[in-house]
Structure formats: structure tokens, C-alpha cells
Amino acid sequence: MRTDMRQGPEIWIRGPVATGAAPGAPAPAGPVAAGALPRATPRRYSWVATHGGAGTTTLAAVYGGHDCGRQWPGPDAPRSVLLVARTHAAGLEAVVRAVEVFRGGGAPAGLDLDAVVLVADAPGRLPRPLAQRVGPIEAVVDVHRVPWIAAWRLGDLSGRPPRGTEPLARLTGTV
């Protein structure tokens, strides 16, 4: 066997991976009646800021879940993590580092990285140099974007989640 050959690129699977029956185990027999299925409980999330001022407190108030601030979730907090960052250069750099911690096994055992939530740091479109930094993040993990909401800046968190954040609202069970 040759050992001097280059290995192929490392591949990361996005999203949850089913941990079903062992390989070769028989499949369940026949369809299951709808009434026989257990009711699914909504998944709970821990919002983890990748830098100060990321917006975890606001997001937890609007979408529900546990605000961990800049700490990893404690033993009583949900194990599903949503990393949060602002869309400025320092925020995007911080979220890349945090995703790498997860990918490298540096996060506490038992935590699942479900998505990254990028909160607009200013009104309007993201400048091109910053938008280009988002692509590599989206290549390894689901990314949800939250637009600039002037009312949130003033402390008004009432009303429905902002337009365009329906996928995040579905993920967190808000809608």
C-alpha cells in the first residue's frame, strides 16, 4: 500500500446526521399510523454570542430560547447552539473562529451547532467585502440573517419577528 499519496479534501456534512439503526439492521415493518407517532416537542436553543454586543439577549427575547451571552451553555441550558455575530468585520471573524472551535472538537461535549445567526450591524445592504466573508461560513453551517431593526435599538421588542427571518422563526418554533 502506498503511503505517499495525498489525501482528498476533508468533507463536512451540513445539518443533523441521522443516528438510526446499526448498518444491516432490518427496517421497521410497514407504515406507522399517524396517531401512533409520539408528539414532537419543540427544540430549545442556546444563543451564544461570538463577541460582545452580538445580540443574543434580543434574539432570545424575540425568538425564545436561552441567552448564554458569551459563555457555553451550562448543564441546565439547551444543548443545541445558535452562534450569533454582527455583520461587521470583527463579528464575522469571531464567528469563523467559533465555528472552527466546534469543527475542531473544542466545544464542550454534548453541544450541537445548529446554525449561525448573523445580525445586521447597520441598515442597508452588506458591503461586498463583508458579504464575501459570509460565503465560506455558509459552506459549512446553516446561516440565518436578521436585518437591522430600528425599533430593537430603541428597546421595542414587541410584534412579530422581522420579515425575511421566517426560516429562523420556524427553526426556533416562534411561528
Side-chain angles (χ1 to χ4, degrees):
M1 178 169 120
R2 290 181 60 185
T3 59
D4 62 336
M5 297 178 65
R6 280 186 64 199
Q7 296 282 328
E10 186 173 337
I11 297 174
W12 289 87
I13 298 174
R14 291 181 60 188
V17 178
T19 56
V32 178
L37 292 175
R39 283 207 146 221
T41 57
R43 192 161 191 186
R44 294 185 51 234
Y45 291 92
S46 289
W47 301 90
V48 177
T50 59
H51 58 87
T56 57
T57 302
T58 298
L59 292 171
V62 172
Y63 294 97
H66 182 77
D67 175 13
C68 293
R70 294 186 63 191
Q71 304 296 318
W72 292 118
D76 296 332
R79 309 314 286 164
S80 298
V81 172
L82 298 172
L83 290 176
V84 182
R86 292 284 178 170
T87 55
H88 50 60
L92 294 174
E93 186 176 311
V95 79
V96 166
R97 285 192 308 268
V99 168
E100 288 302 317
V101 166
F102 260 99
R103 290 181 65 192
L111 295 182
D112 296 320
L113 175 58
D114 282 281
V116 165
V117 179
L118 298 178
V119 180
D121 66 314
R125 293 183 59 162
L126 199 57
R128 186 178 194 141
L130 296 176
Q132 290 173 332
R133 293 184 182 192
V134 175
I137 301 167
E138 290 175 323
V140 296
V141 66
D142 289 332
V143 173
H144 297 275
R145 296 183 191 211
V146 176
W148 177 263
I149 307 296
W152 288 3
R153 190 172 190 203
L154 299 172
D156 180 7
L157 305 180
S158 63
R160 299 178 56 84
R163 191 176 64 189
T165 65
E166 292 82 9
L168 179 59
R170 280 192 301 276
L171 177 70
T172 59
T174 306
V175 174

